[in-house]
């Protein structure tokens, strides 16, 4: 009837079962922008739009609107606000992959680094926006964050 008779030897052999494990999707790297400048706002917006990064901000504003010949006019960007005051972990539970740090003045370096330090890991990349012309800023940030950064 379409079935073939199996020999006794073949039927007594243990059956192999194939278990296919699917890999969980790799977590999306998280980026935090602390402070705001035109360059940092555009960088954060474009990183978020790429969907390759989960972007968070510690900004004084919730929404930024861009006027761009390349990306379109009136492009509104509403950021995921991250509260550094309670130093809670990111919603994804993973460490920050990168921080874009915008320091408005040299007087603010120590305060901002102190607030930022609890959420950093040894593998976090810290990018310092020096568009404001504060050349010694990188050295001051490194001094305030410690030797591991």
């Amino acid at each position: 009837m379409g079935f073939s008779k199996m020999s006794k030897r073949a039927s007594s052999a243990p059956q192999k079962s194939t278990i296919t494990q699917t890999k969980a999707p790799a977590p999306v790297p998280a980026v935090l922008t602390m402070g705001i400048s035109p360059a940092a706002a555009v960088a954060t917006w474009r990183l978020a739009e790429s969907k390759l990064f989960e972007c968070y901000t510690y900004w004084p504003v919730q929404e930024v609107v861009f006027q761009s010949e390349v990306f379109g006019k009136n492009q509104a960007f509403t950021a995921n606000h991250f509260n550094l005051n309670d130093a809670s972990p990111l919603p994804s539970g993973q460490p920050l992959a990168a921080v874009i740090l915008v320091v408005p003045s040299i007087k603010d370096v120590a305060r901002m680094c102190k607030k930022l330090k609890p959420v950093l890991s040894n593998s976090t990349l810290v990018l310092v926006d020096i568009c404001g012309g504060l050349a010694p800023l990188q050295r001051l940030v490194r001094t305030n964050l410690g030797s591991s950064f």
Side-chain angles (χ1 to χ4, degrees):
M1 292 192 82
F3 294 106
S4 62
K5 188 174 182 181
M6 296 179 68
S7 70
K8 199 171 195 179
R9 184 174 173 203
S11 64
S12 64
Q15 296 288 322
K16 284 187 178 180
S17 63
T18 305
I19 299 174
T20 306
Q21 290 183 333
T22 57
K23 280 186 166 180
V28 177
V31 176
L32 171 68
T33 303
M34 182 178 188
I36 192 164
S37 73
V42 170
T44 305
W45 171 48
R46 298 313 303 158
L47 288 170
E49 287 293 310
S50 76
K51 306 287 190 246
L52 297 173
F53 299 92
E54 188 68 36
C55 294
Y56 298 90
T57 60
Y58 187 71
W59 288 350
V61 297
Q62 289 296 322
E63 183 179 84
V64 178
V65 178
F66 296 97
Q67 300 276 334
S68 170
E69 300 268 332
V70 176
F71 300 116
K73 296 190 187 292
N74 297 323
Q75 295 289 318
F77 171 63
T78 303
N80 296 317
H81 186 73
F82 183 68
N83 187 358
L84 280 170
N85 294 326
D86 65 9
S88 61
L90 294 172
S92 63
Q94 67 184 43
L96 288 168
V99 172
I100 300 172
L101 183 62
V102 182
V103 183
S105 73
I106 291 177
K107 295 183 296 186
D108 296 316
V109 172
R111 177 186 56 80
M112 291 179 82
C113 289
K114 182 179 179 182
K115 196 171 274 227
L116 185 62
K117 207 169 185 177
V119 297
L120 299 178
S121 72
N122 287 341
S123 62
T124 304
L125 173 67
V126 178
L127 303 168
V128 181
D129 179 345
I130 58 170
C131 291
L134 303 171
L137 195 58
Q138 291 170 311
R139 188 182 80 250
L140 291 171
V141 168
R142 178 171 281 161
T143 301
N144 280 278
L145 288 180
S147 61
S148 62
F149 297 100

